[in-house]
């Protein structure tokens, strides 16, 4: 029922935030219309963009936090697209990796490629070369990247980010 723990440029960690009581209007925005969550679960969503330096810096913190979540918390990542390029390409990278079961092995590598190796990863040719270099079958990746399933998930992500009124990343919902 709330969104937007805006974390861009923040110097705190999630464990530190858990110690302080978040303030509505400052630390989060209460949604006028709560979004449905799985029954008996608490849903935590990280809204991110691979090209965001703050998201890249935040990733080790969120990874450690996720490992400690109780069983009743459903965590998921949602890549955002504030405009078509390069955001949609990065959304499709995430959902293609997810579809191939490669998030655990490739998610951090995508961040590293963009932020350390200075790759753009916004054109399928460059993305395919990056995947091949990292042991991913380029043809399988391209098939998933261009699939109806990935396009559908990208559209759903856009609608979810709009519903949560996400205007910057990283953000938590």
């Amino acid at each position: 029922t709330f969104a937007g723990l805006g974390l861009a440029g923040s110097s705190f960690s999630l464990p530190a935030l858990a110690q302080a009581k978040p303030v509505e209007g400052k630390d989060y925005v209460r949604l006028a219309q709560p979004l449905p969550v799985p029954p008996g679960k608490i849903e935590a969503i990280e809204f991110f963009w691979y090209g965001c330096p703050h998201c890249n810096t935040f990733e080790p913190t969120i990874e450690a936090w996720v490992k400690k979540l109780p069983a009743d918390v459903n965590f998921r990542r949602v890549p955002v697209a504030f405009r078509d390029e390069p955001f949609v390409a990065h959304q499709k990278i995430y959902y293609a990796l997810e579809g191939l079961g490669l998030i655990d092995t490739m998610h951090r590598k995508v961040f590293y490629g963009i932020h350390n190796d200075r790759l753009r990863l916004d054109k399928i040719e460059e993305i395919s070369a990056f995947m091949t270099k990292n042991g991913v079958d380029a043809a399988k990746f391209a098939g998933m990247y261009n699939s109806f399933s990935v396009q559908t998930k990208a559209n759903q992500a856009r609608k979810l980010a709009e519903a949560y009124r996400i205007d910057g990343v990283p953000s938590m919902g």
Side-chain angles (χ1 to χ4, degrees):
T1 62
F2 67 93
L5 285 175
L7 303 170
S10 298
S11 60
F12 65 86
S13 66
L14 284 176
L17 181 62
Q19 303 300 317
K21 183 173 171 135
V23 176
E24 186 173 352
K26 178 180 180 257
D27 299 313
Y28 69 94
V29 175
R30 184 173 302 275
L31 300 178
Q33 179 65 40
L35 299 175
V37 296
K41 292 280 191 177
I42 298 166
E43 184 167 58
I45 304 171
E46 175 201 15
F47 293 93
F48 77 97
W49 170 46
Y50 279 126
C52 168
H54 304 295
C55 296
N56 182 49
T57 300
F58 185 56
E59 193 58 29
T61 301
I62 195 85
E63 284 177 351
W65 181 73
V66 167
K67 289 177 185 174
K68 298 175 187 174
L69 290 175
D72 65 339
V73 176
N74 179 45
F75 173 78
R76 65 182 170 135
R77 291 179 172 96
V78 174
V80 299
F82 294 120
R83 61 179 182 275
D84 285 346
E85 292 304 323
F87 292 94
V88 172
H90 290 182
Q91 276 186 313
K92 291 172 68 175
I93 290 170
Y94 180 82
Y95 287 122
L97 291 172
E98 182 182 71
L100 294 170
L102 297 173
I103 289 295
D104 290 343
T105 58
M106 291 299 297
H107 184 65
R108 288 293 299 142
K109 289 180 182 182
V110 174
F111 272 119
Y112 189 90
I114 291 170
H115 296 282
N116 295 77
D117 294 338
R118 305 283 185 225
L119 302 174
R120 290 185 50 87
L121 299 184
D122 60 355
K123 303 284 186 260
I124 190 62
E125 298 78 21
E126 185 176 16
I127 297 166
S128 292
F130 173 81
M131 293 300 162
T132 299
K133 178 182 173 189
N134 284 281
V136 176
D137 182 299
K140 284 183 183 176
F141 179 84
M144 183 63 72
Y145 180 90
N146 292 313
S147 70
F148 178 76
S149 172
V150 165
Q151 183 62 46
T152 299
K153 286 182 177 189
N155 287 335
Q156 290 170 340
R158 181 186 49 77
K159 289 176 184 173
L160 189 63
E162 287 173 3
Y164 272 91
R165 300 189 330 216
I166 301 302
D167 62 0
V169 289
S171 287
M172 297 293 296

